[in-house]
Amino acid sequence: MTEELRLSRVEAAVLISKALEENSVSRANAASVAAALVDAEADGQKGHGFSRVLAYCAQARAGKVKGEAEPVCETVTPAFLIVDALNGFAFPAIDMAIEQLVPLTRKTGIAGAAITRSHHCGQLGAHVERLAERGIMAIMVANTPKSMAPWGGNEALFGTNPIAFSVPRHGNPPMVMDLSLSKVARGKIMAASQTGDPIPAGWALDADGNETTDAKAALGGTMLPAGDAKGAALALMVEVLAASLTGANYSYEASTFFNDQGPPPGTGQFFITIDAGQVTHNRFAGRFEKLVTAITDQEGARLPGTSRLAAREAADRDGLIISRDLHAKITALTGN
């Protein structure tokens, strides 16, 4: 018997939603979370996909994430809003922020949103892509539980603190950048620890400060920043925007996303959105395509995010791969 099976996106979403609903998550929140996890899996971001289901369910059962919380939105200036996730899942709060940001940005030209008392928000690129699909340029940052030391330090203080950026394009999929400020997203190490696979050298240090290829040892140590001191500086910038400004926990104050121990993580996310057409008197689209052409005319060059689109196309055609072991564990959570 093969050790893997394939699910359609619909089958995967139904399975995950059912597991969440049977573990103290409201139907609406379960649907939002399941959609995000399935999208991540389809985009090749396995660290933000099926591998999160068991931990999410355990945290909802324990109350570390409030599975029935309904986020609350407050408009604090004509162009800025705050969404309180109320220690629930990040995805429903992000859904709310996006729905508010689109008309707000079209009205004001530039707008922003802060999300506080939040949780793991998965692949940031998917969130800014949704805005770009509706004609809105977007920047998003998020802080995450501590895993990376400040440059020159030896103790984890910052999270991997990802950044994403999207640009709408006429007649083409949006350009989407999505990067962790560590050399690799921590979710990839978590996924490797679940399968027992080694990680490449240069990704992380163990608890004693030694370079390691053991994923479990890496999870107990610190991540290395992308770009050395530059990556650590950007992680600090994200900390200010996603935590200082939102009132969320700092990375060093947040509990882990990976198990059901401790209080809610209470992390934050932050959006800046721009109606590029409006603020440039509709000159932006043509100017941007000139830049795109300059890039793609170079042999071997490509826009960021193209591998994600290829993975998505393959997933839509061939289905999503999941190990039989993980599928069995998720199915067990549905009560079947």
Side-chain angles (χ1 to χ4, degrees), residues 20 23-25 55-67 89:
L20 290 164
N23 287 272
S24 304
V25 180
Y56 279 8
C57 288
Q59 290 176 50
R61 290 194 305 272
K64 184 175 181 177
V65 60
K66 311 300 182 184
F89 284 106

Side-chain angles (χ1 to χ4, degrees), residues 131-163:
L131 286 157
E133 287 172 341
R134 296 167 73 173
I136 303 296
M137 185 187 298
I139 301 169
M140 180 184 180
V141 300
N143 78 323
T144 62
K146 65 179 184 179
S147 60
M148 193 164 67
W151 191 246
N154 56 16
E155 184 177 342
L157 184 69
F158 303 139
T160 57
N161 290 12
I163 298 174

Side-chain angles (χ1 to χ4, degrees), residues 140-261:
M140 180 184 180
V141 300
N143 78 323
T144 62
K146 65 179 184 179
S147 60
M148 193 164 67
W151 191 246
N154 56 16
E155 184 177 342
L157 184 69
F158 303 139
T160 57
N161 290 12
I163 298 174
F165 175 57
S166 65
V167 182
R169 297 180 64 197
H170 180 69
N172 289 286
M175 185 191 75
V176 178
M177 305 177 191
D178 186 347
L179 58 148
S180 165
L181 293 178
S182 57
K183 287 192 176 178
V184 66
R186 191 168 170 85
K188 291 187 177 180
I189 295 181
M190 184 196 76
S193 74
Q194 291 181 344
T195 60
D197 293 331
I199 60 171
W203 280 12
L205 307 177
D206 64 18
D208 296 322
N210 301 312
E211 192 171 287
T212 183
T213 59
D214 183 307
K216 292 187 184 298
L219 290 175
T222 58
M223 307 286 291
L224 290 168
D228 300 328
K230 295 176 183 179
L234 287 171
L236 171 58
M237 180 195 75
V238 171
E239 204 71 39
V240 173
L241 292 173
S244 299
L245 195 59
T246 67
N249 283 338
Y250 286 115
S251 292
Y252 67 83
E253 298 173 317
S255 63
T256 178
F257 290 149
F258 294 141
N259 64 42
D260 61 355
Q261 304 302 306

Side-chain angles (χ1 to χ4, degrees), residues 288-312:
F288 180 62
E289 289 305 316
K290 184 177 180 180
L291 175 59
V292 168
T293 299
I295 294 169
T296 56
D297 277 352
Q298 292 194 22
E299 185 176 354
R302 62 179 178 83
L303 290 178
T306 52
S307 59
R308 182 193 79 256
L309 295 176
R312 187 182 301 172

Side-chain angles (χ1 to χ4, degrees), residues 42-193:
D43 287 357
Q45 300 296 319
K46 293 186 177 298
H48 298 309
F50 296 148
S51 64
R52 295 281 176 170
V53 178
L54 304 183
Y56 279 8
C57 288
Q59 290 176 50
R61 290 194 305 272
K64 184 175 181 177
V65 60
K66 311 300 182 184
E68 297 188 351
E70 297 181 5
V72 176
C73 182
E74 177 187 4
T75 301
V76 292
T77 78
F80 193 82
L81 53 92
I82 293 178
V83 178
D84 189 344
L86 298 173
N87 291 318
F89 284 106
F91 304 111
I94 290 168
D95 291 344
M96 177 175 285
I98 288 172
E99 288 307 308
Q100 295 289 327
L101 279 170
V102 171
L104 187 62
T105 309
R106 287 176 179 153
K107 179 180 179 181
T108 61
I110 184 168
I115 300 175
T116 191
R117 292 202 290 177
S118 193
H119 193 261
H120 174 250
C121 65
Q123 54 165 351
L124 273 67
H127 307 313
V128 295
E129 182 179 21
R130 289 163 60 192
L131 286 157
E133 287 172 341
R134 296 167 73 173
I136 303 296
M137 185 187 298
I139 301 169
M140 180 184 180
V141 300
N143 78 323
T144 62
K146 65 179 184 179
S147 60
M148 193 164 67
W151 191 246
N154 56 16
E155 184 177 342
L157 184 69
F158 303 139
T160 57
N161 290 12
I163 298 174
F165 175 57
S166 65
V167 182
R169 297 180 64 197
H170 180 69
N172 289 286
M175 185 191 75
V176 178
M177 305 177 191
D178 186 347
L179 58 148
S180 165
L181 293 178
S182 57
K183 287 192 176 178
V184 66
R186 191 168 170 85
K188 291 187 177 180
I189 295 181
M190 184 196 76
S193 74

